[in-house]
Amino acid sequence: MDTVTSLFESLQLLALSPPGWGGNLLRGLLHTLEIAIGGYSLGLAIGLMGACGKLYGGVVVRDCLACYTTMVRAVPELILILLLYYAGTDLINQLMFWMGRDAVDIDGLIAGIFVIGFVQGAYSTEVIRGAIQAIPQGQLEAAKAYGLSFWQSLRKVTLPAMLPYAIPGLANLWLIATKDTALLAVVGFSELTLETRQAAGSTKHYMLFYCAAGVLYLMVTLISNRLISRIENWSRRGFAKEQ
Amino acid sequence: MLTSKNNNTINNNEKPALNAIQIRGLHKSYGSIEVLKGIDLNAKKGDIIAIIGGSGSGKSTLLRCINLLETPSAGDVRIGGETIKMKQTSQGPVPADKHQVRRLRASLAMVFQNFNLWQHMSVLENLIAAPTLVHGMPKVAAIDLAKQLLTRVGLSDKQDSYPAFLSGGQQQRVAIARALAVQPDVMLFDEPTSALDPELVGEVLKVIEDLAREGRTMLLVTHEMKFAREVANHVVFLHQGLIEEQGPPEAIFDNPHSERLKQFIRTVQ
């Protein structure tokens, strides 16, 4: 009887309104998703441009991109986040000072999106570059032979044709993005992990809150997987089903 | 050096517009390997030229130099009387004007050995892509034309299928319809039946034969000697990057002069 009551009491701590901490966790989850979606989108944009730059760009562009992807992928993400967050805001403020303006407060959300996007961009670049190279050459040749311009060919042939090869890699990156947001806890951004730590610390119910956070992350992954497999099926519409 | 030669050709030719394709002194090398060693070839409007030869003779390369899928190392290519402008770079010659290249490519249509249909587009989308994007045809008109062409190649029921779900012969017929959809001045066929199972070759050859009867200008690289003989009005035999012998099909197949052509005809028959 005792254990049932105590279990019930601790579950009450997850209630959405105070004194329950559920609302805080959900708010953290919302922030996590905001950063993940924003950072991932930014990363995709960087990745698309990066892949095109690596494949079609001149020597300077290719070298710069090689530097970017190598460095970002070589340095631990935690260090990158600390570096970009603190050094980045510092740099902007110095720039502001230089231009004779007042120091600005960098919005945590924007900074988070930028940091995650910058890291994701390096990985996306490589995923998309590989996918473009996996397109059967003949399809690009046909686009050329029929007089499509570079941009038409990119938009109508290269990008849609590379999708089936890119989606498994890009789906991985999305799942990584949702979890990389947890690293932003170290710079004090109140996403799911930090909210959880605060809730657990204040109530001493570590097990309960960390398990709850784990369940929330798991839900994000499960729902993502459903969506990804639908997108993947759509992108593979031109592929004969494997027997 | 080749421009002066080219100017002579213009002066000597009363009606250059009648020449659909003119090739002068065409060379193509990959590194130190010379694949084409100086080809001169004329295709008048309505000509159906079959290019035959053993593997490695350079016949596909020749075809691919016409629409600049390969960049010629020397010599010039004239399409509809217009010379493709080239410029010299440290990596060899490259096309000087990419707008000209696009414009000239738009007047040609190529049918590839491996079909090269766009896999992510349905059959209908494959057919309307170039007409709408490159030729500025309104989408409705392009769809109309595409449907007519599909009926023509006997695939009207396949317009919503994706290429991978069709047989090789069906895919190649779609590819021919795609080529017709741009209403080309010249059609280039690069071994259109070589990737097909033997029982599917017939259906594709029949479609090409029908086109030939319409008086379309065609350049056809093929291994089908019987077909070349029936369809072409001019046969070119390529050997090691040079035209070894050319002439009307009867002369080439019944009365070959060069020893190599005789040998080639013996081996393929």
Side-chain angles (χ1 to χ4, degrees), chain A residues 17 35-36 60 71 77 85 87-88 102 121 147 150 158 176-177 187 193 209 215 232 240:
Chain A
S17 50
I35 294 192
V60 180
M71 301 248 274
E77 267 145 66
Y85 192 83
D102 289 336
F150 173 79
T158 312
I176 292 171
V187 294
T193 300
F209 282 108
V215 168
E232 189 169 7

Side-chain angles (χ1 to χ4, degrees), chain A residues 98-179:
Chain A
W98 226 66
M99 288 170 12
R101 307 244 181 103
D102 289 336
V104 287
D105 234 359
I106 307 288
D107 181 48
L109 182 68
I110 303 284
I113 287 176
F114 176 76
V115 170
I116 298 285
F118 187 78
V119 174
Q120 286 265 319
Y123 291 91
S124 301
T125 297
E126 290 304 308
V127 169
I128 294 171
R129 183 180 64 92
I132 289 178
Q133 284 179 319
I135 302 172
Q137 272 302 305
Q139 295 190 44
L140 307 178
E141 220 165 52
K144 252 193 202 172
Y146 280 90
L148 270 68
S149 70
F150 173 79
W151 291 109
Q152 286 174 333
S153 168
L154 189 70
R155 202 160 45 90
K156 294 288 177 176
V157 180
T158 312
L159 295 184
M162 67 93 187
L163 266 189
Y165 306 105
I167 281 179
L170 293 180
N172 248 339
L173 285 182
W174 161 249
L175 295 181
I176 292 171
T178 58
K179 281 172 284 285

Side-chain angles (χ1 to χ4, degrees), chain A residues 13-235:
Chain A
L13 287 171
L14 289 175
L16 288 180
S17 50
W21 291 78
N24 291 36
L25 291 199
L26 286 184
R27 205 159 37 245
L29 177 66
L30 184 71
H31 284 147
T32 288
L33 288 176
E34 277 172 357
I35 294 192
I37 291 170
Y40 184 68
S41 310
L42 178 63
L44 270 187
I46 296 176
L48 271 176
M49 290 188 288
C52 291
K54 273 199 166 187
L55 290 170
Y56 312 117
V59 180
V60 180
V61 173
R62 284 207 306 268
D63 284 355
C64 288
L65 286 166
C67 245
Y68 163 61
T69 52
T70 312
M71 301 248 274
V72 170
R73 293 185 304 162
V75 177
E77 267 145 66
L78 183 56
I79 294 185
L80 274 176
I81 283 168
L82 289 170
L83 187 79
L84 286 170
Y85 192 83
Y86 289 118
T89 46
D90 197 39
L91 200 72
I92 288 173
N93 277 333
Q94 290 225 346
L95 217 69
M96 286 304 207
F97 179 74
W98 226 66
M99 288 170 12
R101 307 244 181 103
D102 289 336
V104 287
D105 234 359
I106 307 288
D107 181 48
L109 182 68
I110 303 284
I113 287 176
F114 176 76
V115 170
I116 298 285
F118 187 78
V119 174
Q120 286 265 319
Y123 291 91
S124 301
T125 297
E126 290 304 308
V127 169
I128 294 171
R129 183 180 64 92
I132 289 178
Q133 284 179 319
I135 302 172
Q137 272 302 305
Q139 295 190 44
L140 307 178
E141 220 165 52
K144 252 193 202 172
Y146 280 90
L148 270 68
S149 70
F150 173 79
W151 291 109
Q152 286 174 333
S153 168
L154 189 70
R155 202 160 45 90
K156 294 288 177 176
V157 180
T158 312
L159 295 184
M162 67 93 187
L163 266 189
Y165 306 105
I167 281 179
L170 293 180
N172 248 339
L173 285 182
W174 161 249
L175 295 181
I176 292 171
T178 58
K179 281 172 284 285
D180 270 3
T181 53
L183 293 173
L184 290 170
V186 296
V187 294
F189 184 75
S190 57
E191 44 62 69
L192 180 54
T193 300
L194 189 61
E195 292 283 2
T196 309
R197 202 165 66 193
Q198 282 167 348
S202 327
T203 59
K204 306 292 176 209
H205 280 79
Y206 295 103
M207 186 70 161
L208 175 77
F209 282 108
Y210 282 117
C211 283
V215 168
L216 287 176
Y217 280 118
L218 181 66
M219 297 287 282
V220 170
T221 302
L222 290 178
I223 293 168
S224 301
N225 279 346
R226 289 291 287 274
L227 279 172
I228 289 162
S229 79
R230 290 182 73 160
I231 295 172
E232 189 169 7
N233 281 337
W234 168 79
S235 80

